[in-house]
Amino acid sequence: MVRWRNAMGPAAVLAIAMILVASCRTPESSTVPPARPADADALIRRGLEKESRADLEGAIEDYSLILAQSPDHAGALYHRGRARGAKGDVKPAREDLDAALRIQPGHAAARVVRGMLRMEQSDLDGALYDLNTAIQYNPRLAAAYGNRGLVRARRGELAAAEQDLSTALNLKPGEALGYCHRGDIRADRGNLDGALADYTRAIELDPRTAFPRYRRGTIKAMTGDREGALADFSEALRLEPDFPSCHVERGKVWAAEGDDERARRDFSQAIQLDPRNGAAYHSRALLRARRGDLQGALEDCDLSLRFLPDRADAYLARGKIRAELGELDPAIADLDQAIALDPKKARALELRAHIKRVKGDLEGAVADFSAALALEPGDADSYKHRGKLRLELDDRDGALGDLGKALALDPQDAEAHCRRGAVRLALGDATGALADFEAAIRLEPLSADAFVGRGQARLARGDLEDALKDLSLALELDPGMKEAYQHRAEVRRKQDDLRGAIADLTALLELDPENAHARRQRARLKQDSGDLAGAVEDLGVALQLAPGDADLHLDRGIARMAAGAHREALRDFDTALGLRPALDGAHLFRGKTRLALGDVQGALEDLDEAIRRDPRSAEAHFERGQVRLRLGDLEGARLDLNRFKELEAARGKK
């Protein structure tokens, strides 16, 4: 739809259409001469004069005086119908115009006005029929072409609409409103220079009317000429202070300039002038959200949607605010509605994808990013985010492809280099990963993420010293970076710096006390350094966080066994195997524990199962050899111990 309608409202638009036609006095058809009372012409002239002073009621009374004497007076019916339409009384206006056209089918001006009434009633086919017929009867009636252009614009036929308005302006070049209409259509077609020229011409023809300056201001704002836009909006508001839409648009420019207070004043003034102005509430909501007043922003969004229930942008804005407030399900509901109203709203799809990721619906998030990319295939950010999700879903090749596309579109995106580096690491390409992280550091020399990534790549290549430097530098840049502590602990473990590794994991756990994985790692390091009690304690805390984790039960059992707490260890091994009967190593260690507790037969059963599951376990063969010796099975013991030696020799060769 042409944009001027949003600023002026149906009644005002219709009134303008009526006045436009009134100013185009056309000779009435002589096919059916109307009966005229002696003073009919004088009453019509007086009625028109009253209309020029906005006295529509007085004009209607004059036209009604004629019709009281001559009910079939087509001219009086036409004028009264037009005046009633200008008042917004559509039904009686239609009745007058229908009657006028029954009496005088060739009354072109009446067909123009009835066409505009039909447009207001969304009967576009009927409107087009009336306007086409008007042009057949009077091919030089500018109003018919101009209003047909508006109908065609409503139908989405913008090229034909522009042609009609150009014809109207050729016939009547001094019509400022016609230039405004054509400017709107040119703007809708993307011809912003042409639109600016039309609005400028309208201002030259009618410098005391606010509307052309308002429209020119909107185009200047779109083209980045904020200073020019502010000048036009301010002049329009000087001419017409009570212009709500102009306050809204000027407020948007103030907001873009960073002058939030002036923007707030304009939006609030628009609401004061028109408490049902959904666009004003919407713009103020965005401003409040930017300033951190999320609750106030949400209230404005609710009001905006009360008055603009079919506006996709309003649902998108409320969805974003609700997401920031942590109201994820209502946010998704709003975004669902935005997408239903406008399936091509890529921003809504992208935001819904981010929320789905937070909720753990990774596949749904990938689907939304894919839909957004189908609409906007040049969006590097969507490729980047989809690539990250695909990595989390273990679709490494898909992730690599997405991040490659993101970087082809935006080679200067340091984050995309970091993410592709992570994918390359996961694929075992440490050299390619190193190149990506170094590119990220060149682009953002203070990026802690990039230094962590390069540290990981160097660790994968065995360059422990440089890896340690990168991870330490990352922690200087961001002392709260948990991943850096995690990876530096791994580097220090490989350097046999168990104390340093334990210190890093301790720092990590201070930042993230519920990190069961870090507690498990620290427990293993404590066990390796001889602190068995500390290892058992860490694993106990980890099991409080993840009581169903079979691996944690196995690890605590091993630590307890090493500390001599065999009965407690046996309980852990039993629990681990109850949770996961095929758990690697569990039968081996339970067998050793049963042997230590004197349950030789139970130990043999566990070690048989351990060897059945892993025939190449040298330790299991050695332990079963010891059990068989205890049972007096010397031949079986000899076979197990010989097999143990063979497996150890083979491992030594490797």
Side-chain angles (χ1 to χ4, degrees):
M1 185 186 297
V2 184
R3 293 191 186 93
W4 58 271
R5 295 177 46 77
N6 297 332
M8 308 196 73
V13 170
L14 189 56
I16 288 171
M18 305 306 133
I19 292 166
L20 178 63
V21 174
S23 67
C24 299
R25 300 293 301 279
T26 58
E28 295 173 353
S29 169
S30 59
T31 56
V32 184
R36 291 179 178 271
D39 60 349
D41 286 342
L43 285 171
I44 286 175
R45 285 194 297 273
R46 190 171 75 180
L48 290 172
E49 192 275 331
K50 287 179 179 179
E51 283 190 65
S52 71
R53 293 186 279 105
D55 180 10
L56 295 176
E57 286 289 353
I60 290 169
E61 289 175 6
D62 280 342
Y63 304 141
S64 297
L65 287 173
I66 301 172
L67 291 165
Q69 299 177 50
S70 180
D72 291 336
H73 193 296
L77 286 166
Y78 155 64
H79 286 298
R80 189 173 70 175
R82 179 178 45 71
R84 283 173 164 175
K87 274 188 65 186
D89 296 336
V90 175
K91 184 178 178 182
R94 276 292 305 269
E95 291 170 356
D96 279 343
L97 292 163
D98 290 347
L101 287 166
R102 280 195 299 272
I103 297 164
Q104 192 170 343
H107 197 305
R111 289 197 177 275
V112 171
V113 178
R114 190 173 72 173
M116 295 312 294
L117 287 170
R118 282 177 159 173
M119 183 176 78
E120 286 302 313
Q121 295 174 310
S122 298
D123 177 12
L124 300 185
D125 290 340
L128 196 59
Y129 168 78
D130 269 337
L131 293 162
N132 285 338
T133 305
I135 290 168
Q136 288 176 2
Y137 280 111
N138 187 350
R140 297 194 59 75
L141 181 56
Y145 291 101
N147 286 301
R148 188 174 70 176
L150 300 184
V151 173
R152 283 176 161 171
R154 280 267 201 109
R155 290 161 60 97
E157 302 164 2
L158 297 184
E162 183 177 345
Q163 181 59 51
D164 270 343
L165 284 158
S166 296
T167 300
L169 288 167
N170 287 335
L171 291 168
K172 192 174 183 184
E175 187 60 55
L177 186 60
Y179 284 101
C180 283
H181 291 323
R182 191 174 69 178
D184 292 334
I185 292 167
R186 284 177 165 176
D188 283 343
R189 298 188 71 195
N191 180 8
L192 301 187
D193 289 339
L196 280 172
D198 274 344
Y199 298 134
T200 299
R201 180 60 180 147
I203 292 165
E204 291 169 355
L205 291 167
D206 187 3
R208 292 188 296 176
T209 297
F211 185 69
R213 292 187 185 276
Y214 160 75
R215 289 300 296 129
R216 191 172 70 176
T218 62
I219 301 299
K220 287 180 176 179
M222 290 171 61
T223 58
D225 179 9
R226 293 177 188 164
E227 183 179 353
L230 287 171
D232 272 341
F233 291 139
S234 296
E235 177 61 14
L237 287 167
R238 186 190 68 79
L239 293 166
E240 189 177 335
D242 297 343
F243 194 161
S245 295
C246 195
H247 280 289
V248 172
E249 295 303 324
R250 188 174 70 173
K252 290 179 183 178
V253 179
W254 285 129
E257 289 279 284
D259 193 335
D260 288 357
E261 181 53 30
R262 280 180 168 172
R264 184 197 63 77
R265 287 202 300 266
D266 263 334
F267 298 144
S268 298
Q269 181 65 18
I271 291 166
Q272 184 177 338
L273 292 168
D274 178 9
R276 299 177 62 84
N277 192 315
Y281 288 111
H282 175 71
S283 295
R284 193 172 70 177
L286 298 179
L287 181 68
R288 282 179 159 175
R290 189 174 79 182
R291 299 177 74 177
D293 178 12
L294 296 181
Q295 199 57 50
L298 188 59
E299 292 169 5
D300 273 344
C301 280
D302 291 342
L303 289 165
S304 173
L305 282 164
R306 180 186 301 174
F307 304 119
L308 295 172
D310 297 328
R311 182 168 173 173
D313 280 344
Y315 282 102
L316 171 59
R318 190 170 70 177
K320 184 175 187 296
I321 290 163
R322 282 177 161 169
E324 291 181 25
L325 285 168
E327 301 173 6
L328 301 186
D329 289 333
I332 284 182
D334 274 337
L335 295 168
D336 289 345
Q337 185 64 24
I339 293 162
L341 289 167
D342 183 359
K344 294 184 178 181
K345 184 68 72 176
R347 182 70 188 93
L349 288 161
E350 292 162 9
L351 181 54
R352 191 173 69 177
H354 285 296
I355 297 172
K356 285 180 176 179
R357 179 179 180 275
V358 172
K359 287 173 62 67
D361 180 9
L362 303 188
E363 292 181 353
V366 167
D368 274 345
F369 276 125
S370 298
L373 283 165
L375 296 169
E376 295 183 2
D379 186 351
D381 278 343
S382 288
Y383 280 114
K384 178 172 65 178
H385 293 304
R386 190 175 71 176
K388 183 180 180 182
L389 287 165
R390 283 178 161 168
L391 179 60
E392 292 179 44
L393 288 166
D394 208 32
D395 177 9
R396 296 173 182 177
D397 291 334
L400 191 64
D402 274 345
L403 291 163
K405 289 176 182 175
L407 286 165
L409 291 165
D410 184 4
Q412 306 303 307
D413 189 335
E415 183 186 3
H417 278 291
C418 282
R419 289 184 178 178
R420 189 171 68 176
V423 175
R424 285 175 161 171
L425 268 180
L427 289 168
D429 180 10
T431 301
L434 184 63
D436 265 330
F437 292 124
E438 288 182 339
I441 290 168
R442 284 194 300 273
L443 292 166
E444 291 188 14
L446 299 179
S447 169
D449 284 328
F451 281 104
V452 168
R454 192 170 72 176
Q456 288 178 264
R458 285 174 163 170
L459 171 61
R461 287 162 57 93
D463 184 358
L464 300 184
E465 285 299 325
D466 284 337
L468 185 64
K469 289 176 184 175
D470 274 341
L471 294 163
S472 298
L473 183 52
L475 285 166
E476 287 181 25
L477 292 167
D478 184 358
M481 194 165 200
K482 293 179 283 190
E483 297 86 350
Y485 285 113
Q486 180 88 41
H487 297 302
R488 192 170 72 174
E490 175 65 13
V491 172
R492 285 176 162 168
R493 184 190 67 78
K494 287 181 178 273
Q495 292 178 321
D496 295 324
D497 178 9
L498 299 186
R499 181 179 297 177
I502 290 171
D504 276 337
L505 291 170
T506 300
L508 169 56
L509 287 165
E510 288 174 358
L511 295 168
D512 186 6
E514 297 188 358
N515 189 326
H517 177 69
R519 287 196 181 275
R520 183 185 185 194
Q521 285 185 302
R522 189 172 73 171
R524 288 181 171 180
L525 291 170
K526 285 180 175 179
Q527 184 171 337
D528 290 344
S529 64
D531 180 8
L532 298 177
V536 170
E537 180 184 0
D538 265 345
L539 291 164
V541 174
L543 280 165
Q544 289 176 6
L545 298 168
D549 190 321
D551 289 308
L552 288 173
H553 283 287
L554 175 61
D555 282 359
R556 189 171 68 175
I558 294 170
R560 282 172 161 172
M561 184 182 73
H566 296 296
R567 293 194 182 282
E568 292 83 352
L570 183 61
R571 284 199 297 272
D572 272 330
F573 295 139
D574 287 344
T575 302
L577 285 165
L579 291 166
R580 200 193 313 164
L583 180 60
D584 287 345
H587 284 287
L588 168 63
F589 286 106
R590 190 170 71 173
K592 292 171 71 173
T593 300
R594 281 176 162 174
L595 182 60
L597 290 169
D599 179 6
V600 180
Q601 190 58 44
L604 183 62
E605 291 172 4
D606 267 333
L607 292 165
D608 283 346
E609 181 63 16
I611 289 169
R612 186 186 72 79
R613 291 181 178 279
D614 183 6
R616 299 189 63 78
S617 171
E619 186 177 5
H621 282 287
F622 177 83
E623 294 297 335
R624 191 172 70 175
Q626 301 304 309
V627 171
R628 283 175 164 172
L629 281 175
R630 291 274 293 272
L631 291 170
D633 179 6
L634 300 183
E635 179 59 21
R638 183 184 68 78
L639 290 172
D640 271 338
L641 294 172
N642 283 341
R643 182 59 177 155
F644 162 71
K645 291 176 182 176
E646 290 171 3
L647 291 168
E648 282 291 290
R651 190 168 68 177
K653 287 180 181 178
K654 289 182 182 178

